[in-house]
Amino acid sequence: MNDPFGTAIKEYFEKGKAPDLVVNSNYTEDENIPVSYFFRNANEMPELEKKALQLCRGSILDVGAAAGCHALVLQNNQQDVTALEQSELAVEVMKTRGIRKTIVSDIYKFEGAQFDTILLLMNGAGIGGTVNGLKKLLFHLKPLLNEGGQILIDSSNIKYLFEEEDGSMWIDLSNDGYYGEMEYEVLFRNIKSAFDWLFIDFNLLQKTAMETGFKCEQMFEGEHYDYLAKLEIYK
């Protein structure tokens, strides 16, 4: 089964411990993610995520819900949340944790329902994979929004990773494409998954949102070049 995230989440949930997930990219190697991070409670969440959960309203679709940490907080606050996750193992864990509304699906295959808030956290923009892929994602999310609905999405500007001390860049931005388009590989034990992953700066997100019919407002800016944005359909 090619599901490192779901396998790790299930093992941690059942045993109380699991090896870290190992992330490699075309820019970095062997970055570790503790599986416990997917089980953080409201107090353990960064301020950006707390802000996003405060902004949620109405019926909520939590996209890429993983172990359901955000959905659980919302549900405990008596909010109407549906957790969508493509990993069957992760959804199995969410159900056992008591999350009432879950859907096993790739977001691109999900349709036929509408929500007041669509929530994409933990670098939710990354799901797009590339800038053009993010456009495709936003076009797909549009009909899933009720009138007056909102998309809450986060990402980071990772340009600082490529800057030298003198301010020059060690990659050629003119020829290498957008620096935030990355190739990821995630490994848990002997289970591996490879995919494209996007980090997008706010200005480019705003431009991409406008091109897909959304207005885009920055709602929070973190200390590490991360930010939360709210997208609403232009009337």
Side-chain angles (χ1 to χ4, degrees):
M1 185 183 300
N2 191 31
D3 182 7
F5 286 105
T7 306
I9 285 168
K10 189 171 191 293
E11 181 173 325
Y12 183 88
F13 180 69
E14 292 179 345
K15 298 182 179 180
K17 60 181 181 179
D20 291 351
L21 287 151
V22 180
V23 178
N24 297 309
S25 77
N26 49 329
Y27 297 131
T28 61
E29 288 185 357
D30 294 344
E31 291 187 353
N32 289 6
I33 302 176
V35 185
S36 60
Y37 188 68
F38 296 99
F39 291 86
R40 60 200 181 281
N41 60 38
N43 292 329
E44 295 168 328
M45 291 179 185
E47 291 303 313
L48 183 153
E49 294 182 358
K50 291 178 182 178
K51 178 66 175 179
L53 296 180
Q54 290 169 4
L55 291 171
C56 287
R57 52 177 167 78
S59 56
I60 304 157
L61 180 67
D62 180 11
V63 178
C69 63
H70 302 120
L72 207 53
V73 172
L74 292 166
Q75 182 177 284
N76 289 341
N77 289 337
Q78 310 306 314
Q79 289 178 274
D80 177 15
V81 59
T82 300
L84 182 143
E85 170 58 55
Q86 63 180 347
S87 167
E88 293 184 11
L89 294 175
V91 170
E92 181 185 319
V93 169
M94 283 195 282
K95 287 180 176 179
T96 307
R97 298 185 78 197
I99 296 173
R100 291 187 288 271
K101 294 183 179 181
T102 58
I103 297 171
V104 181
S105 179
D106 182 312
I107 183 58
Y108 292 103
K109 296 178 181 177
F110 178 69
E111 55 188 16
Q114 290 184 308
F115 301 87
D116 299 305
T117 300
I118 298 177
L119 182 66
L120 300 101
L121 288 181
M122 293 187 69
N123 189 43
I127 295 172
T130 63
V131 176
N132 285 334
L134 181 59
K135 287 183 186 178
K136 177 185 173 184
L137 177 63
L138 294 180
F139 275 127
H140 177 73
L141 294 179
K142 229 176 185 178
L144 300 180
L145 281 174
N146 282 326
E147 185 175 352
Q150 62 177 351
I151 297 172
L152 298 173
I153 187 168
D154 71 325
S155 194
S156 301
N157 184 355
I158 62 168
K159 187 177 180 180
Y160 70 95
L161 292 176
F162 313 106
E163 290 181 341
E164 303 286 6
E165 290 185 4
D166 63 0
S168 63
M169 307 293 289
W170 61 262
I171 59 170
D172 185 348
L173 296 183
S174 61
N175 292 327
D176 291 349
Y178 181 62
Y179 57 82
E181 295 179 345
M182 300 180 71
E183 298 167 10
Y184 261 44
E185 179 186 88
V186 175
L187 182 69
F188 179 73
R189 296 194 182 276
N190 61 342
I191 304 167
K192 185 185 297 185
S193 178
F195 49 91
D196 293 332
W197 195 243
L198 175 67
F199 292 89
I200 187 168
D201 67 272
F202 177 73
N203 289 337
L204 185 53
L205 174 65
Q206 193 171 46
K207 178 176 180 289
T208 304
M210 288 181 64
E211 291 172 354
T212 51
F214 289 94
K215 55 183 177 179
C216 177
E217 180 182 359
Q218 184 168 296
M219 307 303 293
F220 181 88
E221 186 174 8
E223 297 177 359
H224 306 289
Y225 306 95
D226 55 327
Y227 64 89
L228 173 70
K230 178 175 73 172
L231 278 62
E232 295 175 308
I233 298 172
Y234 273 114
K235 295 181 181 178

